């Protein structure tokens, strides 16, 4: 099983980015994104569970980020709008076969993609 994340980069505050994560293997029940900023602990960002997919977001990104998925393509996206300098972090794609949507543990992690937002 592999999770291949892409789409990170350097942008200015207020810009948008779209992260992608392509998965191999069986279709995952839950997929999502975590991030880790320099000097900070890793935090949950967003998740999508089941079909058509219930979503969940950390409060700091609600209204700005949107998670979506295509099960046929085994791909999950994170559309990030109105980016802020505090969104700067390495973003990790995560996935799990467990169907319990409230479960916060993910068994599979991608390699991470760096998002840098300048002020």
């Amino acid at each position: 099983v592999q999770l291949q994340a892409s789409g990170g980069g350097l942008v200015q505050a207020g810009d948008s980015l779209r992260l992608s994560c392509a998965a191999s293997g069986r279709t995952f029940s839950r997929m999502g994104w975590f991030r880790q900023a320099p000097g900070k602990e890793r935090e949950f960002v967003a998740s999508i569970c089941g079909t058509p997919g219930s979503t969940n977001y950390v409060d700091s990104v609600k209204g700005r980020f949107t998670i979506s998925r295509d099960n046929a393509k085994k791909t999950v996206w994170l559309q990030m709008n109105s980016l802020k300098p505090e969104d700067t972090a390495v973003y990790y794609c995560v996935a799990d076969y467990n169907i319990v949507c409230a479960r916060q543990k993910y068994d599979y992690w991608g390699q991470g993609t760096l998002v840098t937002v300048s002020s």
Side-chain angles (χ1 to χ4, degrees):
V1 173
Q2 286 188 328
L3 299 174
Q4 186 67 41
S6 62
L10 172 63
V11 297
Q12 293 185 334
D15 286 351
S16 298
L17 272 179
R18 190 191 197 203
L19 304 183
S20 299
C21 177
S24 63
R26 293 185 293 122
T27 300
F28 290 101
S29 298
R30 296 179 295 121
M31 298 189 75
W33 295 89
F34 279 68
R35 67 185 179 186
Q36 186 166 20
K40 295 187 177 181
E41 292 186 355
R42 190 165 53 196
E43 69 168 346
F44 166 82
V45 177
S47 66
I48 187 165
C49 177
T51 304
S54 63
T55 58
N56 190 30
Y57 300 91
V58 66
D59 286 346
S60 60
V61 308
K62 286 180 179 177
R64 300 188 298 122
F65 291 11
T66 303
I67 189 170
S68 59
R69 68 184 294 182
D70 183 326
N71 287 340
K73 296 181 179 180
K74 299 178 184 177
T75 301
V76 64
W77 297 275
L78 185 67
Q79 177 67 43
M80 305 185 295
N81 298 330
S82 302
L83 282 162
K84 304 176 181 180
E86 51 264 43
D87 294 318
T88 295
V90 176
Y91 284 71
Y92 297 91
C93 175
V94 296
D96 201 275
Y97 292 118
N98 190 293
I99 192 58
V100 178
C101 294
R103 178 181 169 94
Q104 290 295 312
K105 181 179 180 294
Y106 292 84
D107 287 340
Y108 299 94
W109 290 70
Q111 84 285 5
T113 184
L114 177 61
V115 173
T116 304
V117 184
S118 63
S119 57

